[in-house]
Amino acid sequence: MECVDVDECKDKLDECGDGYRCQNILGGYVCLDVDECLSGNSKCSDGFTCVNTEGSFECVDFDECQFEPYKCQAGTTCHNTVGSFVCKDIDECVD
């Protein structure tokens, strides 16, 4: 008698759910997290970056000032806001 592995993934017998992919292993299967950020399945708005979480993802505010301070003109400083940034005038009279 020969035992044959059942591919639960191929036969759609797994219970992995959204955000996971099924991988067949001998005698069963495992559910692996899908990285929606790398797969292109995330839809974050401009000014946000994708962060993979277990079984899903979240959109986190991207600090434009930390990486692109040159967007502000001379005499102004960059201040991060939710989803964007603003350039504020530097008050030279304040110590």
Side-chain angles (χ1 to χ4, degrees), residues 9 14-24 29-36 54-55:
C9 302
D14 67 273
E15 297 178 8
C16 290
D18 293 340
Y20 295 90
R21 70 177 175 81
C22 182
Q23 180 172 339
N24 190 60
Y29 66 93
V30 293
C31 299
L32 302 174
D33 178 50
V34 173
D35 188 337
E36 294 84 0
E54 190 69 29

Side-chain angles (χ1 to χ4, degrees), residues 16-68:
C16 290
D18 293 340
Y20 295 90
R21 70 177 175 81
C22 182
Q23 180 172 339
N24 190 60
I25 58 174
L26 190 59
Y29 66 93
V30 293
C31 299
L32 302 174
D33 178 50
V34 173
D35 188 337
E36 294 84 0
C37 301
L38 291 178
S39 68
N41 292 334
S42 64
K43 294 176 176 65
C44 293
S45 302
D46 289 344
F48 292 86
T49 189
C50 182
V51 175
N52 189 58
T53 60
E54 190 69 29
S56 189
F57 70 95
E58 59 184 57
C59 297
V60 177
D61 179 45
F62 176 78
D63 186 349
E64 296 85 356
C65 299
Q66 183 178 354
F67 298 101
E68 302 179 44

